Amino acid sequence: KDWLAPFWCRWGPAEPGDASWAAVRAQVAMPHVKSYCRFARLGPLRLFALPWLCVGSHNLSRAAWGELQKGGSQLCIRSYELSVALFPERLRHLESDPDRP
């Protein structure tokens, strides 16, 4: 998906000379988790908000999202994925739990 290229991040060590275990692993193993978010600037004070965040194992493929077949009468999904969508603003409306600090 060429239009996504400007939004991709490179996976690897933060510093070129980092030889820690995490940095070495980051050179060869990319995590399977994908995350997408809406990052919004609030007014002229340079405050930022995260209206929503989606974390999951989903891919941007027809197999994961499905494709219409048989003239649009059938949706075929070849790979099931799991994601969680979080809406931080809605956390304010939850009741507090006295058993959890």
Side-chain angles (χ1 to χ4, degrees):
K1 312 279 187 263
D2 293 336
W3 62 271
L4 284 174
F7 301 103
W8 291 342
C9 293
R10 185 166 192 74
W11 178 251
E15 300 293 326
D18 190 353
S20 67
W21 178 85
V24 170
R25 185 175 187 284
Q27 291 175 356
V28 296
M30 184 176 77
H32 184 68
V33 68
K34 282 84 174 177
S35 58
Y36 305 93
C37 69
R38 169 74 169 100
F39 190 75
R41 190 167 132 187
L42 304 174
L45 299 178
R46 297 190 181 267
L47 299 174
F48 296 94
L50 192 67
W52 59 265
L53 170 68
C54 181
V55 180
S57 64
H58 51 280
N59 294 307
L60 295 174
S61 67
R62 289 185 193 144
W65 290 91
E67 68 179 317
L68 292 174
Q69 296 180 342
K70 297 187 179 180
S73 66
Q74 177 178 308
L75 177 65
C76 178
I77 300 173
R78 292 183 178 90
S79 174
Y80 289 92
E81 306 287 344
L82 178 66
S83 300
V84 175
L86 304 169
F87 300 90
E89 179 66 27
R90 294 186 182 183
L91 294 176
R92 293 182 187 171
H93 304 291
L94 295 176
E95 293 180 19
S96 61
D97 184 350
D99 296 330
R100 301 178 88 181

